Amino acid sequence: MSKRTRAGTLTGLTALTAAGLALGTVLAVPAGAATVRPGFLSAADLPPHTSSSWTAGEVTAGASPDVEVDRCLGMALGDGRDSWYRDFRTDLDTSARQVSVELSSVSAAKGRFARVNQDIKSCPAWIEQADPEVEATLKDYGKLNVEEGAHVYGLHTETSWGATDIRLLSVGRDGTTVTVVDWGQLGDFGDAPVKAFKKTTVTAVNKLH
């Protein structure tokens, strides 16, 4: 099965999944004063774009509104507790986001890491259940040997009218911190810079502390 959405970038999947997504009442709770903010990617760390440079937004405490309604990530990352995010964009149809969460213990971080992995794996089924006009296909690009580990996935979505998007997702952990990198644009698996995205993921985990 393969699925895609218009809106081309990360907001494409957000638009499809916002309707009918029952997350309950979600509040963006900024990180507590005692929590140290982890390090984040810079624009230069993203997979190079062929015709546009990356621009990085500010690192912001709490939950991104787009993540809150994201069917792949919203349930694991949508409450914004001890969380930060940074959005990246190009002048064209490619965008990215990093979300990092500081957990109370290594055990809690392991649990969150496992939850994000499982939610990404379940995402194609959730997308299709939410909208029969969309087909979704997930590819597992495997684990990365960095700190306590990372995992990379590709998600392709296509609508019944032919709109198509490709998304790369990764989740990594260093101690009590879990980070997720999310890249997306119009296209399919052949358009995904998997090798460069893996390098970005390694950099993201290494920059946490």
Side-chain angles (χ1 to χ4, degrees):
M1 310 193 281
S2 90
K3 276 198 176 176
R4 299 184 181 181
T5 67
R6 196 66 192 168
T9 59
L10 303 181
T11 56
L13 286 173
T14 298
L16 276 172
T17 60
L21 177 57
L23 290 178
T25 302
V26 181
L27 299 177
V29 182
T35 304
V36 178
R37 192 202 83 183
F40 269 75
L41 293 167
S42 67
D45 298 321
L46 274 292
H49 194 282
T50 56
S51 57
S52 179
S53 58
W54 285 98
T55 299
E58 296 294 326
V59 176
T60 304
S64 162
D66 288 338
V67 172
E68 288 182 3
V69 297
D70 190 292
R71 189 159 293 275
C72 293
L73 304 174
M75 286 180 281
L77 302 176
D79 69 356
R81 189 177 301 277
D82 290 328
S83 298
W84 299 262
Y85 67 93
R86 187 175 210 177
D87 289 332
F88 303 86
R89 64 175 177 80
T90 65
D91 292 332
L92 301 175
D93 66 349
T94 307
S95 60
R97 178 180 298 115
Q98 182 182 6
V99 180
S100 294
V101 185
E102 184 65 32
L103 284 305
S104 59
S105 66
V106 169
S107 176
K110 287 180 178 179
R112 186 67 62 93
F113 178 82
R115 171 65 186 276
V116 174
N117 271 287
Q118 185 55 54
D119 284 0
I120 292 173
K121 291 176 183 177
S122 301
C123 193
W126 293 341
I127 290 171
E128 292 180 350
Q129 289 170 10
D131 190 342
E133 298 297 311
V134 182
E135 244 178 55
T137 303
L138 188 74
K139 280 191 177 182
D140 187 334
Y141 289 117
K143 298 178 181 179
L144 299 176
N145 184 22
V146 55
E147 297 299 342
E148 275 73 59
H151 209 121
V152 177
Y153 303 90
L155 179 67
H156 173 244
T157 58
E158 185 173 5
T159 66
S160 59
W161 57 90
T164 179
D165 291 284
I166 183 64
R167 189 175 179 185
L168 294 175
L169 294 151
S170 64
V171 54
R173 183 175 72 86
D174 182 3
T176 57
T177 309
V178 174
T179 194
V180 173
V181 184
D182 188 356
W183 171 100
Q185 70 172 33
L186 294 172
D188 56 28
F189 286 116
D191 301 306
V194 177
K195 184 176 180 180
F197 184 76
K198 287 183 176 181
K199 182 178 179 181
T200 295
T201 298
V202 170
T203 301
V205 177
N206 279 330
K207 277 193 167 186
L208 291 174
H209 300 294

